[in-house]
Amino acid sequence: MRRPIIAMTLAVGALALAPVLAACTPGGSMSDPTPSASATSRPPFQTATPGPIAPTGTPVAVPPARWDALVADLGARGVTATPELVSAEAVTFSDSSLGCATPGQSYTQALVDGMRVVVTAGGETYDYRFGTGDDPLLCTR
């Protein structure tokens, strides 16, 4: 007597699942699985242009070799005014771009202990970066 009840229960369960399974197959009643563009509430994807990192390091004194290299670089750029220190800080950069990446350029992905030095000269502000050596990198963005 139990077998007909089990068979009947399975038959009723299969009938209940049939519309759901049909909707999951191609050509079923739910054949358009992608929502329309107007139905999304997510904003469009946006990209940002990388720029100089904000001051995040520990204030430090600029070593004389780095200061001399910075002054020489300004002179080579035609800046004749005496530079004045705005800020100097020790920074650990996330790659060899020293926080001033150029679009399309590849950089070594490694932590680089360095320094960010901001100076003013002749009414202009200059953002210099140093890696492990004394060669300055002028961040122009």
Side-chain angles (χ1 to χ4, degrees):
M1 197 76 172
R2 277 196 134 170
R3 285 184 190 232
I5 293 175
I6 292 174
M8 183 187 254
T9 303
L10 289 175
V12 170
L15 287 175
L17 286 176
V20 174
L21 294 174
C24 292
T25 61
S29 63
M30 298 177 74
S31 62
D32 186 14
T34 57
S36 67
S38 63
T40 182
S41 62
R42 184 173 55 174
F45 182 74
Q46 296 177 352
T47 59
T49 303
I53 60 168
T56 58
T58 306
V60 294
V62 180
R66 288 186 175 186
W67 183 259
D68 293 342
L70 182 149
V71 171
D73 186 73
L74 285 172
R77 295 174 188 278
V79 178
T80 57
T82 303
E84 295 181 27
L85 182 65
V86 174
S87 66
E89 55 201 359
V91 179
T92 300
F93 299 103
S94 61
D95 60 33
S96 63
S97 73
L98 304 180
C100 194
T102 301
Q105 180 70 37
S106 297
Y107 297 96
T108 301
Q109 300 298 303
L111 296 178
V112 179
D113 288 330
M115 179 180 236
R116 179 175 188 233
V117 179
V118 178
V119 298
T120 58
E124 296 290 326
T125 301
Y126 299 91
D127 181 353
Y128 277 96
R129 310 297 170 90
F130 293 89
T132 55
D134 293 333
D135 297 324
L137 170 67
L138 179 60
C139 192
T140 57
R141 279 181 261 127

